[in-house]
Amino acid sequence: MYNFKEIEKKWQDKWSNDERLRAVDFHPTKPKFYVLYEFYNISGNLHMGHLKGTVPADALARYKRLKGYNVLFPIGGDSFGLPAENAAIKTGIDPHKFVEDGFKRVLEQSKQIGLSFDWTRTFCTSDEDYYKWTQWIFLQLFKNGKAYKEQGVVNFCPKCQTVLSNEDSQGGKCDRCGSDVIQVNRNVWFLKMKEYSEKLLGNVERINMAEHLKEAQRNWIGKSEGIQLKLDLVDEAGNKLDHMEIYTTCIETVYGITFVVLAPENAKLDQLKQNIKNFDKITEYRQKTALRSEFDRMSQVKDKTGCKVEGIYAINPLTGDKVPLYIADFVLNSYGTGAVMAVPCHDQRDYEFAKEFNIPFVQVIDGDCSKCAVEKAEYLEKNQKMLNSAEFTGMNVLDAKKAIAKKVIENGFGKTQVNYKMQDWSFNRQRYWGEPFPIVFCPKCGIVALDEKDLPLALPKTNDYLPNANGDSPISKIDSFVNCKCPKCGGSARRETDTMPNWAGSSWYWLRYVDPHNPNMLADYEKLKYWGSVDVYTGGTEHITRHVLYAFFWQNFLYEIGAVPTRDPFIRKMGSGLILDDEGKKMSKSSKNGVSPLEVIDKYGSDVARMHVHFLAGYEDNCQWTFKGIEGIVNFLDRVWKLQDIVKGDGISKEHEVELNVLIKKVSSDYENLKLNTAISACMIFVKKIKEDGFITREELRQFLLVLNPLAPHITSEMYERVFNADLLDATFPEYDEAKTVKKEINLPVQLNGKMKGTILIDSTLSQEQIENACREFVGITAEQVKKVIYVPNRIINFII
RNA sequence: GCGGACAUGGCGGAACUGGUAGACGCGCCAGACUUAGGAUCUGGUUCGCAAGAGUGGGGGUUCAAGUCCUCUUGUCCGCACCA
C-alpha cells in the first residue's frame, strides 16, 4: 500500500503554486479552453456534493491541459446572501469576517481534494473590487431604461419584517422563522427581463444542456401565442362606457363566452368606479385577496372565489351578446391583459366558477360537457365539430380555429398576440448583506444614478443586522450612509437602502474570471474575446433554471451595450447529480447521515475518494453514498502502484498495442463528456491485462499514467516522478491510432436468419468474400442456400437462407 | 392536471449513429497459500437441470430492437388557476 497521506500532501503543496496550472491570457500557441465550476456558496464546509461536482470539471481541466490547451479553470465564492447574514443575526459575527474565513476554508479544502483551480483568479461576490462592477452593470441597466422602480406585490414575513424571494418562502413559510408569508405592496426595483424573453429562448436553443433542464427554462419563460380580443363595456341599458381587452389561446371557443373575469387588481375597475354599483364589495374582495398568502391561494386551487361587478357588462364582438363581468383571484393581473373571457363548457376553471355562481353554459364544440369541461387538449386531438358558432357551426375545430382568428382580425375585433409567463425580475431585498444600489433619491431631481467614478458604493459596516419596524433594510438605520448629496444638483438627498438579491453577483461572474483584477472595467474586451464563451459549465441543478436565465439576460444586455463580445455565456452546461445518504435523502450539512468528503479523504486518500464517488454513477445521475465497493478502487490503485515493479523494456509492446490504443480512445471521449465511471472501468480493464501478462514497458506505463492522471492526479504524478524522473505536467496526453484499436484476430459473431450461432475467430483484414466463405462453413451452409448476407465489418455477419 | 426524464442480474451500473446484452466494480460461491483470516491470489457468477427464456408489460417496424414507433404500468424531476 502506498503512503497516500505523504504523497498527496506533497503534490497538493506543489500545485498550489504551480504556474503551469494557471491560465495565460492570449497564449501565443495553445488554443483556449474554459471550464467553469459554479461558485462556492460560502456557508460552511465543502460537502459530498462538491466532491461529485468539482472532480469531473477538474479531470476535464487536467485532461485539456495535457492535451495542450490553455485552460481557464477558476473558482470563487458566492458570498452575499443568507448564510452570512443569518450567522450575523444569530451570533453577531461580522459577515465580512464570516466570508473571509469561510472562503479561506473552502479553498483549503479544495486543495485537499486535489483540485487544480487557478488560485490567482479567486474572488468573492462580496469583495468591493467585484461588487463595484455588479453595481456598474446595474447603473448601465438603469441608464438604458432596463431598471425601474414601481409598486409591486411581494412576499413578506411579518415577523422578520422583511421581503422574501420566492425561494426564501417555499411552502408559504418564512425560511428564517417559519411564519406564514403574506403578500404586501412595496416599492420594488424591477429589471426588464420580460423584454428579453425571445432572446432568452434563443439562448436556450443554442446551449448544449440536458433536455429536461431546457424544458424547465422554456416553461419558466412560458411563451404562448393567441389572440388579444377587444370587448366593449356597456351599462345596464347598453350604452357604451369603455372597452377592455382579454387574451386567449382558444379563440375557437369565442361563441361560448358567457362571462368575463378580471383580475381583482385590474385598473379598469378603478377607471369605471362610478359605473360600478357594488364598488364596496369589490374593494372588500380585493382586500381579501391581498391578504391571502401565496401558499393559501395555491392550496385552494379548487375553490373558486370571486365577486360580480354590478352595473357593467361586456359585449362579445362576434355575437353582440351582453355578458356579465366578475373579478376573481384565479385571474392574474400580471399575465396577458389581466382579464379573461370565460367559456365554461371548454375550460375547467371557467366551468367550476360558472357552477359556483350559477352562470349559464353554452357549448360550442362537440363532446360531453355534462360533468366537466371538454378542454383544448381533448377537442383539438379529436378534431371535434363546432356547434352554436354561427357560420362556423359544423366545421372541424382545427379549421375553425384559423377561420375565426382570421375573422376577428379582419373585422378589427382583435389581433394576434404573444405572451410570456416570465415576469420582470424583482431586484431588491431589505437585507444588509448585499450590494448597495448606486442610486440616490433627491427631492428635486427624483431618482438619480451615482456617477461611475464614485463606484464602488461600499456597504457600510454595522453590528445591527435587523430591519426596522417598517421592514426597511438594516442599512436604513445608518444615517452616515443614508444621507448624501444629490450627484446632480448637490442638494441633500437619501440613498436607496435596499440591497440587491443574491442572484445579482452570480449573474456575470464568469466574465470577471477572465480579468479578475481589472480596476477600469468589468473585464478587458480583448480578453473576453480571447476566452469567449465558457466551454463547459458544471455545477448542481438546484437553482439552475433561474440562474442560467439570469446569466443569459445579463450577458445579452452586456452584449447590446458592447461590453462583451457574445450573447452566449456558456456553450455547454452540465448539471451534477446529487449524492444521497443511506435513506435516499439529499446529503447536505443538515443531513444526519451526511459523510464529509474530508473524512473519506482522510481515511482513503483523495485519489480514492475522487474515483469512488465517480465510479458510483454518471455525472448527471443521483447516487446513494456508500463505502461499499470502495475497496475496489483501493485495490485498483494499489495495483497501479505496483506497476512500477514490473516495468520491462521500452516502446509499445505488440502484446499491449491494441489495449493501449483502445484505452486512450475511450478515456479521451469520456473525459470530454465527463463520463468518469466508464473511464475508470477502461483503466481497470487495461491494468487487468497488464497483470495477466506480468509486464509493462516504460513507455506503456508513461502513457498509462497520463491517461489516469485526470482521475487520480496524486498517485500518477508521484509515480511519474519516480519512474521517469520528470514532472507529469510537462508531458503531453498520448494520441491513439484508430487503425490500432482493432485486433487482427477478432471474434466475429455469426447469425443465421437473425439467430446467434456463435462466434468465429477470424483475421479481420481478410476480404469480405473470404470472411463470408469461412462463416458459411462455420454454420454449415452452402453459397446456394444464402438469399442475402448482411456483413458489418468487425461487428457481425448474418446469413438469410 | 401539464411538461420532461428514466425503467437492464443480488446491488451500483455498462452497451458507439439498431449489430455477441449484462463491460467494470461490489456482493456471493469454489479453490490456493495459510495456525487462522473480514488479508492476498486463481476461477466462477442473468435465470433455468435442460431445451430454452431474458433489458417494467402488450403490440409493431427490421435480416437484426435495451436502443426506433405505438399503447400501457411504475418511479423521479420541473411547472402548477398563465387564460
Side-chain angles (χ1 to χ4, degrees):
Chain A
M1 184 64 192
Y2 69 104
N3 184 342
F4 65 80
K5 285 215 165 148
E6 201 175 285
I7 290 171
E8 295 190 347
K9 178 79 174 52
K10 168 182 159 187
W11 289 97
Q12 285 161 10
D13 289 346
K14 280 196 177 196
W15 294 333
S16 58
N17 293 308
D18 198 317
E19 297 222 349
R20 289 167 299 180
L21 297 173
R22 293 179 193 161
V24 179
D25 297 322
F26 311 115
H27 196 287
T29 54
K30 292 181 174 183
K32 73 96 188 181
F33 195 81
Y34 190 171
V35 193
L36 180 63
Y37 176 73
E38 70 186 359
F39 263 162
Y40 286 142
N41 190 343
I42 306 302
S43 56
N45 296 303
L46 295 188
H47 52 76
M48 271 300 175
H50 289 114
L51 193 58
K52 186 158 163 60
T54 53
V55 167
D58 184 62
L60 179 61
R62 288 179 180 274
Y63 166 72
K64 283 288 181 181
R65 283 192 204 102
L66 290 173
K67 285 292 270 187
Y69 284 82
N70 176 25
V71 173
L72 174 54
F73 181 42
I75 190 67
D78 194 10
S79 52
F80 267 144
L82 270 185
E85 181 146 343
N86 283 343
I89 292 169
K90 255 192 212 156
T91 68
I93 183 172
D94 180 353
H96 297 87
K97 174 90 175 124
F98 179 91
V99 165
E100 196 190 320
D101 294 349
F103 192 51
K104 218 187 267 170
R105 192 166 56 239
V106 292
L107 291 188
E108 205 41 57
Q109 293 174 350
S110 305
K111 289 179 183 173
Q112 290 175 42
I113 297 175
L115 301 175
S116 59
F117 291 126
D118 183 339
W119 308 108
T120 64
R121 293 177 186 246
T122 60
F123 57 79
C124 287
T125 51
S126 56
D127 294 350
E128 269 186 38
D129 286 350
Y130 179 80
Y131 73 70
K132 169 179 177 179
W133 297 104
T134 309
Q135 290 173 333
W136 181 86
I137 294 170
F138 178 82
L139 273 189
Q140 308 312 308
L141 286 160
F142 181 72
K143 288 179 187 168
N144 284 277
K146 309 292 184 196
Y148 61 97
K149 201 167 192 191
E150 193 179 86
Q151 281 278 313
V153 181
V154 290
N155 302 309
F156 187 79
C157 172
K159 191 167 169 217
C160 301
Q161 294 287 316
T162 189
V163 163
L164 298 170
S165 61
N166 288 332
E167 56 281 2
D168 296 335
S169 52
Q170 280 172 5
K173 305 280 180 200
C174 172
D175 212 29
R176 251 190 223 167
C177 71
S179 313
D180 284 333
V181 172
I182 61 166
Q183 310 298 115
V184 296
N185 263 299
R186 271 200 88 100
N187 251 318
V188 182
W189 279 102
F190 287 102
L191 300 186
K192 289 192 177 170
M193 186 161 175
K194 202 172 172 142
E195 210 177 278
Y196 283 78
S197 300
E198 212 49 52
K199 286 167 188 162
L200 301 188
L201 281 171
N203 290 109
V204 173
E205 290 323 304
R206 289 190 297 275
I207 195 171
N208 177 348
M209 183 165 73
E211 187 54 32
H212 70 280
L213 298 175
K214 286 193 173 204
E215 198 56 30
Q217 296 195 314
R218 289 189 204 107
N219 236 308
W220 183 270
I221 297 169
K223 181 177 182 172
S224 102
E225 292 172 75
I227 299 276
Q228 194 157 306
L229 191 67
K230 205 161 116 184
L231 309 174
D232 282 340
L233 294 174
V234 299
D235 64 16
E236 199 91 46
N239 302 311
K240 183 172 169 180
L241 299 168
D242 198 350
H243 65 85
M244 64 173 288
E245 287 180 303
I246 60 92
Y247 173 72
T248 180
T249 56
C250 307
I251 194 67
E252 64 276 13
T253 62
V254 71
Y255 287 90
I257 297 178
T258 55
F259 59 107
V260 167
V261 191
L262 278 70
E265 305 89 343
N266 196 307
K268 197 53 92 180
L269 298 165
D270 303 291
Q271 289 164 25
L272 295 172
K273 197 170 167 181
Q274 275 92 344
N275 304 90
I276 299 172
K277 290 180 183 150
N278 60 339
F279 201 79
D280 51 333
K281 282 251 169 66
I282 300 288
T283 307
E284 195 183 305
Y285 184 76
R286 281 175 154 187
Q287 284 166 350
K288 223 168 73 192
T289 305
L291 285 173
R292 286 178 82 184
S293 70
E294 192 79 3
F295 182 70
D296 210 23
R297 280 172 82 160
M298 264 160 46
S299 66
Q300 295 182 23
V301 160
K302 291 280 174 275
D303 296 339
K304 291 286 174 289
T305 66
C307 175
K308 190 168 183 199
V309 181
E310 307 278 0
I312 303 184
Y313 297 84
I315 302 293
N316 182 337
L318 284 101
T319 60
D321 290 347
K322 195 170 94 177
V323 297
L325 220 57
Y326 287 81
I327 58 169
D329 64 2
F330 77 80
V331 178
L332 308 175
N333 201 36
S334 53
Y335 185 76
T337 60
V340 300
M341 66 183 212
V343 183
C345 279
H346 304 293
D347 183 297
Q348 190 57 27
R349 287 168 327 185
D350 301 348
Y351 184 95
E352 283 158 19
F353 193 87
K355 274 217 144 146
E356 189 74 35
F357 288 84
N358 277 317
I359 304 166
F361 288 55
V362 174
Q363 185 172 1
V364 291
I365 298 166
D366 202 12
D368 179 11
C369 298
S370 57
K371 289 195 191 75
C372 62
V374 176
E375 293 199 279
K376 181 160 57 171
E378 191 185 339
Y379 66 66
L380 286 180
E381 203 208 332
K382 293 183 183 162
N383 199 11
Q384 299 281 38
K385 290 265 182 293
M386 300 294 294
L387 313 169
N388 302 320
S389 297
E391 69 265 37
F392 304 100
T393 305
M395 236 187 207
N396 292 328
V397 68
L398 290 173
D399 297 328
K401 193 177 176 72
K402 288 179 203 141
I404 295 176
K406 194 168 168 231
K407 178 172 178 182
V408 164
I409 293 160
E410 280 175 0
N411 287 282
F413 299 150
K415 55 170 188 173
T416 57
Q417 173 73 30
V418 176
N419 274 325
Y420 302 90
K421 274 198 259 185
M422 188 172 66
Q423 298 299 309
D424 280 345
W425 178 4
S426 85
F427 197 67
N428 54 325
R429 308 282 183 265
Q430 289 71 46
R431 297 201 191 276
Y432 170 70
W433 192 236
E435 300 88 347
F437 282 80
I439 290 288
V440 162
F441 302 109
C442 170
K444 269 194 224 149
C445 313
I447 301 181
V448 182
L450 239 54
D451 199 297
E452 284 176 25
K453 288 197 306 286
D454 297 326
L455 297 182
L457 173 61
L459 180 66
K461 288 217 174 190
T462 181
N463 46 26
D464 176 1
Y465 305 108
L466 291 172
N468 74 9
N470 300 324
D472 296 327
S473 96
I475 55 176
S476 67
K477 300 178 189 172
I478 307 170
D479 289 342
S480 59
F481 175 82
V482 176
N483 299 319
C484 63
K485 295 273 176 266
C486 171
K488 224 180 197 170
C489 69
S492 52
R494 290 175 62 81
R495 290 191 197 281
E496 171 63 78
T497 58
D498 285 353
T499 52
M500 298 185 202
N502 201 188
W503 302 96
S506 61
S507 294
W508 71 282
Y509 72 108
W510 62 95
L511 299 168
R512 187 65 177 173
Y513 284 137
V514 163
D515 195 10
H517 311 297
N518 193 324
N520 303 316
M521 57 189 85
L522 62 88
D524 177 79
Y525 193 80
E526 290 306 312
K527 287 184 187 174
L528 287 167
K529 234 161 119 182
Y530 172 75
W531 288 107
S533 305
V534 173
D535 291 282
V536 178
Y537 182 16
T538 65
T541 53
E542 204 171 2
H543 296 127
I544 193 167
T545 304
R546 299 181 67 184
H547 163 58
V548 172
L549 285 176
Y550 290 148
F552 286 161
F553 170 35
W554 278 27
Q555 179 98 15
N556 269 293
F557 170 73
L558 291 171
Y559 173 77
E560 285 163 10
I561 61 167
V564 302
T566 160
R567 282 189 190 278
D568 290 302
F570 322 120
I571 292 167
R572 184 172 189 186
K573 168 80 201 176
M574 296 188 75
S576 151
L578 299 173
I579 294 218
L580 309 169
D581 63 21
D582 43 19
E583 286 171 356
K585 293 203 183 91
K586 187 188 161 193
M587 209 189 255
S588 64
K589 342 179 241 331
S590 54
S591 158
K592 286 193 187 79
N593 304 318
V595 177
S596 147
L598 300 170
E599 219 176 301
V600 183
I601 287 171
D602 186 57
K603 215 164 157 189
Y604 293 95
S606 160
D607 287 339
V608 169
R610 289 166 64 116
M611 290 180 73
H612 179 56
V613 165
H614 293 96
F615 198 47
L616 286 173
Y619 183 66
E620 303 199 275
D621 302 320
N622 292 346
C623 68
Q624 223 160 358
W625 168 260
T626 171
F627 279 103
K628 234 192 218 166
I630 199 166
E631 296 301 330
I633 300 292
V634 173
N635 287 339
F636 169 70
L637 287 184
D638 228 27
R639 275 176 220 149
V640 168
W641 184 250
K642 286 179 186 153
L643 291 178
Q644 300 175 76
D645 305 334
I646 55 168
V647 177
K648 208 191 295 170
D650 296 301
I652 305 294
S653 68
K654 271 271 164 290
E655 289 91 329
H656 302 148
E657 189 178 59
V658 172
E659 279 80 4
L660 189 62
N661 277 281
V662 166
L663 171 70
I664 295 167
K665 181 181 178 181
K666 175 69 180 152
V667 294
S668 299
S669 83
D670 280 350
Y671 287 149
E672 298 270 4
N673 296 305
L674 308 189
K675 293 178 79 173
L676 303 195
N677 51 346
T678 49
I680 293 169
S681 123
C683 291
M684 286 172 165
I685 291 168
F686 181 76
V687 170
K688 209 172 177 179
K689 168 72 177 162
I690 296 295
K691 271 210 73 181
E692 250 171 56
D693 295 346
F695 77 96
I696 184 166
T697 70
R698 275 174 65 83
E699 179 58 14
E700 286 163 12
L701 177 62
R702 202 186 68 81
Q703 295 196 8
F704 174 71
L705 291 176
L706 287 163
V707 161
L708 182 61
N709 175 262
L711 285 160
H714 308 86
I715 186 173
T716 50
S717 297
E718 177 69 17
M719 286 177 72
Y720 203 93
E721 187 181 76
R722 287 185 186 214
V723 179
F724 303 101
N725 198 23
D727 194 323
L728 186 145
L729 287 179
D730 294 325
T732 311
F733 202 85
E735 298 286 335
Y736 67 90
D737 180 350
E738 183 68 49
K740 290 179 182 162
T741 57
V742 183
K743 283 210 166 136
K744 196 162 174 258
E745 299 265 289
I746 58 158
N747 278 307
L748 187 72
V750 185
Q751 292 187 337
L752 196 59
N753 288 335
K755 283 267 181 200
M756 272 301 302
K757 286 297 162 192
T759 63
I760 176 172
L761 191 66
I762 205 162
D763 183 342
S764 63
T765 57
L766 292 177
S767 71
Q768 179 168 345
E769 200 188 337
Q770 289 171 302
I771 288 175
E772 274 184 34
N773 289 337
C775 293
R776 258 203 321 272
E777 196 176 323
F778 174 74
V779 289
I781 53 168
T782 63
E784 293 72 47
Q785 286 176 278
V786 177
K787 272 206 295 205
K788 193 179 171 190
V789 184
I790 294 107
Y791 174 59
V792 186
N794 298 330
R795 299 233 69 130
I796 205 161
I797 188 160
N798 187 6
F799 295 104
I800 310 305
I801 60 169

